[in-house]
Amino acid sequence: MSKEMVDHPKHYNMGKYECLDVVKELVKGMNGDEAILFFNAFKYLWRYKLKNGIEDLKKCEFYLKELIVINENYQD
């Protein structure tokens, strides 16, 4: 496996932005569970056209539903 596939895989890079850099900014201030779920939903949405298509959208949906559940629980 090439170093590029480990450090900067193409399916996580779009133009001048890398998914990891963007999501690190987006999760600032979130608690641990919320940040993890958001991160996973975001990364699967980010890469779906470049990697696994519908499978990645379904993974995104899974994590998004979990994120909704924990946020509903915070409101109770």
Side-chain angles (χ1 to χ4, degrees), residues 38-54:
F38 183 93
F39 177 90
N40 281 305
F42 186 86
K43 80 172 181 180
Y44 286 119
L45 186 59
W46 178 284
R47 75 180 204 182
Y48 87 96
K49 285 204 176 233
L50 300 173
K51 193 159 186 206
N52 296 320
I54 297 296

Side-chain angles (χ1 to χ4, degrees), residues 14-68:
M14 290 188 186
K16 63 182 179 177
Y17 300 105
E18 189 164 350
C19 182
L20 182 60
D21 297 329
V22 173
V23 80
K24 281 161 83 174
E25 288 297 314
L26 295 173
V27 300
K28 284 184 180 174
M30 291 183 187
N31 71 43
D33 291 342
E34 184 180 28
I36 290 166
L37 294 169
F38 183 93
F39 177 90
N40 281 305
F42 186 86
K43 80 172 181 180
Y44 286 119
L45 186 59
W46 178 284
R47 75 180 204 182
Y48 87 96
K49 285 204 176 233
L50 300 173
K51 193 159 186 206
N52 296 320
I54 297 296
E55 180 182 322
D56 278 353
L57 289 175
K58 289 179 179 182
K59 290 177 181 178
C60 174
E61 179 182 36
F62 170 83
Y63 286 105
L64 184 56
K65 285 179 179 178
E66 292 295 315
L67 182 59
I68 290 168

